[in-house]
């Protein structure tokens, strides 16, 4: 069975973008692949997070993983910091990554271009840690949203470089980016990705938003003057985004939705999008509540960490022997 791995970094509450671009696919794939899914809590602290809030976000994220349908019987679900091997391999990967490569990472370049002050060195070396997360488990595939593809591509380069230098060690992973829903845009500024760190909050739907708030955000989503429900990302980016959201959730092809709305107004269309999104999120929230009350989260994480550690430990041992920094086998 091929192996798949992915992670989410809950620096805020999980969003509809995280769900449609990533989480939903983890659930779909868990029957077909050996699935490893974790919370990237080390990646979270590359920027300051208020500790109590971060702790809450981490727990909510695990509960949402389960509420969206990840099944601990089928998938290994764990916290990045519960498997120290990942951070240790992360350092070794940093030693095999060139500064020039990290300078070219879009996420880092965007931060510099925005003139962000005090970018940490942890942020700069974020990609080799992500590479270690993936390579520790010999993942064949990494399902991610569009914005993370470049990091997985760097991981491939690092794996190939290491294999060439030290002999066959790592599986070279492939990014899996869905055709629809890989980049859900902000409802207020459809030229930007829907992001947890949205300052206004109005353009981003959080999975734990009150349903009345979700409806309001969709009804006030930015559209255009064309008065025609059409998929045209260039000229009608707001409507195209809503079409993608609806198609992702219902499975109805975008063309067919457009055909149903011929001659009809945006109000009616938005109302259906709001109904569809509220129904989907409502189901997730009901399960989230049950999970939070059940107290199963700690047990899921403990079991997940055990299984993940077993795999990562063996891989790190192999790497350390290959590069010559280990004399005796670790127990
Ligand atoms: P931020 O929004 O603060 O930039 P993020 O949501 O991109 O953070 P993660 O939570 O780690 O960061 O992302 C988890 C997964 O969700 C990644 O695979 C990412 O590509 C995907 N993802 C995030 N936002 C979107 C979006 N708007 N549309 C589709 N996929 C997304
Ligand atoms: N960088 C990713 C989160 C992440 C990840 C990973 C995703 C950390 N390690 C390994 C896939 C595989 C993000 O910001 N979304």
């Amino acid at each position: 069975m091929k192996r798949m791995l992915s992670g989410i970094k809950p620096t805020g509450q999980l969003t509809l973008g995280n769900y449609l671009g990533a989480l939903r696919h983890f659930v779909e794939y868990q029957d077909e692949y050996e699935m490893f899914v974790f919370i990237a809590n080390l990646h979270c602290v590359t920027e300051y997070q208020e500790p109590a809030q971060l702790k809450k976000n981490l727990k909510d994220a695990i509960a949402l993983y389960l509420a969206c349908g990840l099944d601990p019987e089928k998938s290994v679900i764990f916290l990045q910091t519960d498997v120290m091997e990942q951070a240790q391999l992360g350092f070794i990967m940093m030693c095999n990554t060139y500064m020039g490569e990290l300078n070219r990472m879009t996420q880092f370049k965007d931060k510099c271009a925005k003139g962000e002050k005090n970018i940490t060195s942890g942020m700069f070396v974020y990609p080799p840690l992500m590479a270690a997360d993936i390579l520790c488990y010999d993942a064949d595939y990494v399902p991610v949203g569009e914005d993370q593809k470049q990091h997985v591509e760097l991981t491939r380069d690092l794996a190939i470089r290491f294999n060439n230098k030290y002999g066959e060690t790592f599986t070279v992973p492939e990014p899996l980016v869905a055709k629809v829903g890989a980049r859900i845009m902000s409802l207020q500024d459809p030229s930007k990705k829907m992001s947890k760190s949205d300052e206004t909050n109005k353009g981003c739907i959080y999975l734990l938003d009150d349903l009345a708030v979700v409806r309001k955000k969709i009804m006030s989503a930015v559209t255009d003057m064309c008065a025609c429900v059409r998929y045209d990302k260039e000229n009608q980016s707001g409507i195209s985004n809503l079409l993608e959201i609806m198609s992702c959730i219902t499975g109805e092809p975008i063309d067919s939705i457009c055909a149903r709305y011929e001659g009809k107004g945006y109000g009616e269309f938005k109302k259906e999008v709001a109904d569809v999104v509220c129904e989907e999120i409502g189901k997730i929230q009901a399960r989230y509540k049950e999970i939070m009350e059940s107290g199963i989260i700690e047990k899921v994480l403990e079991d997940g960490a055990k299984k993940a550690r077993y795999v990562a430990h063996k891989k790190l041992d192999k790497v350390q022997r290959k590069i010559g920094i280990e004399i005796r086998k670790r127990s």
Side-chain angles (χ1 to χ4, degrees):
M1 206 182 214
K2 293 270 189 192
R3 192 174 279 171
M4 194 173 268
L5 171 138
S6 199
I8 290 189
K9 165 179 69 85
T11 41
Q13 286 284 321
L14 297 196
T15 69
L16 185 66
N18 295 139
Y19 176 61
L20 297 180
L23 199 39
R24 194 172 67 106
H25 299 297
F26 306 166
V27 176
E28 272 166 24
Y29 290 130
Q30 66 183 340
D31 289 316
E32 231 177 298
Y33 296 92
E34 192 186 353
M35 192 78 192
F36 284 72
V37 186
F38 68 99
I39 295 289
N41 53 351
L42 276 178
H43 281 100
C44 280
V45 296
T46 51
E47 284 175 304
Y48 175 76
Q49 309 292 325
E50 202 284 305
Q53 186 60 46
L54 177 57
K55 202 166 163 184
K56 176 172 185 328
N57 289 343
L58 297 177
K59 194 166 174 192
D60 279 349
I62 295 285
L64 282 169
Y65 272 8
L66 301 173
C68 290
L70 272 179
D71 177 352
E73 299 288 323
K74 297 181 187 164
S75 300
V76 181
I77 303 169
F78 62 104
L79 271 186
Q80 189 178 30
T81 44
D82 279 341
V83 187
M84 309 268 223
E85 283 77 358
Q86 281 171 237
Q88 197 161 337
L89 183 63
F91 185 79
I92 296 171
M93 295 323 293
M94 279 173 219
C95 299
N96 285 277
T97 311
Y98 306 122
M99 303 271 283
E101 286 172 315
L102 297 182
N103 277 324
R104 284 196 293 276
M105 292 292 114
T106 318
Q107 204 167 19
F108 175 70
K109 280 204 305 198
D110 285 351
K111 286 193 184 290
C112 295
K114 274 196 225 151
E116 282 190 28
K117 297 260 165 14
N118 301 330
I119 300 177
T120 67
S121 46
M123 175 61 74
F124 187 62
V125 295
Y126 176 119
L129 176 59
M130 176 160 163
D133 295 336
I134 299 168
L135 300 177
C136 245
Y137 299 93
D138 278 328
D140 297 285
Y141 298 106
V142 186
V144 282
E146 183 63 44
D147 60 316
Q148 294 299 319
K149 193 168 169 222
Q150 193 190 29
H151 291 155
V152 183
E153 277 159 1
L154 176 72
T155 305
R156 289 173 61 81
D157 293 345
L158 298 181
I160 294 169
R161 178 175 308 154
F162 193 100
N163 289 347
N164 287 341
K165 235 190 211 168
Y166 297 105
E168 210 49 37
T169 310
F170 296 124
T171 299
V172 180
E174 259 182 61
L176 279 189
V177 181
K179 287 205 179 69
V180 179
R183 195 170 171 80
I184 300 297
M185 309 311 274
S186 159
L187 300 177
Q188 285 301 312
D189 179 357
S191 68
K192 285 196 195 134
K193 185 184 91 144
M194 180 181 283
S195 165
K196 310 188 194 91
S197 24
D198 178 358
E199 289 112 27
T200 68
N201 260 348
K202 280 183 37 220
C204 178
I205 293 179
Y206 297 95
L207 294 179
L208 294 177
D209 266 347
D210 190 89
L211 294 185
V213 172
V214 173
R215 187 168 290 279
K216 201 161 165 210
K217 285 180 179 173
I218 294 174
M219 294 311 288
S220 48
V222 165
T223 53
D224 52 68
M225 306 295 280
C226 302
C228 161
V229 177
R230 189 172 40 194
Y231 190 73
D232 174 353
K233 273 182 147 172
E234 205 140 284
N235 301 305
Q236 294 186 248
S237 52
I239 286 293
S240 301
N241 191 37
L242 293 176
L243 277 165
E244 280 209 28
I245 292 174
M246 181 139 126
S247 171
C248 267
I249 296 177
T250 61
E252 181 178 1
I254 288 179
D255 287 354
S256 143
I257 306 174
C258 293
R260 284 199 292 113
Y261 277 93
E262 227 178 281
K264 295 187 185 159
Y266 288 165
E268 211 175 320
F269 171 60
K270 281 179 167 177
K271 187 176 170 303
E272 191 186 345
V273 177
D275 289 344
V276 161
V277 173
C278 285
E279 196 193 334
E280 186 81 353
I281 292 190
K283 281 190 268 178
I284 296 173
Q285 290 184 355
R287 284 198 296 265
Y288 163 85
K289 206 163 158 268
E290 280 167 26
I291 287 156
M292 288 303 261
E293 282 161 8
S294 72
I296 59 167
I297 292 178
E298 280 73 13
K299 171 92 175 75
V300 167
L301 290 180
E302 200 181 306
D303 291 352
K306 251 185 233 152
K307 291 183 201 158
R309 246 181 246 137
Y310 177 78
V311 179
H313 189 87
K314 280 209 298 199
K315 181 55 64 174
L316 181 66
D317 247 353
K318 184 170 180 181
V319 169
Q320 299 202 144
R321 271 182 281 118
K322 290 239 177 188
I323 65 178
I325 59 173
E326 192 153 279
I327 295 173
R328 56 176 182 82
K329 208 167 169 15
R330 295 176 313 135
S331 55

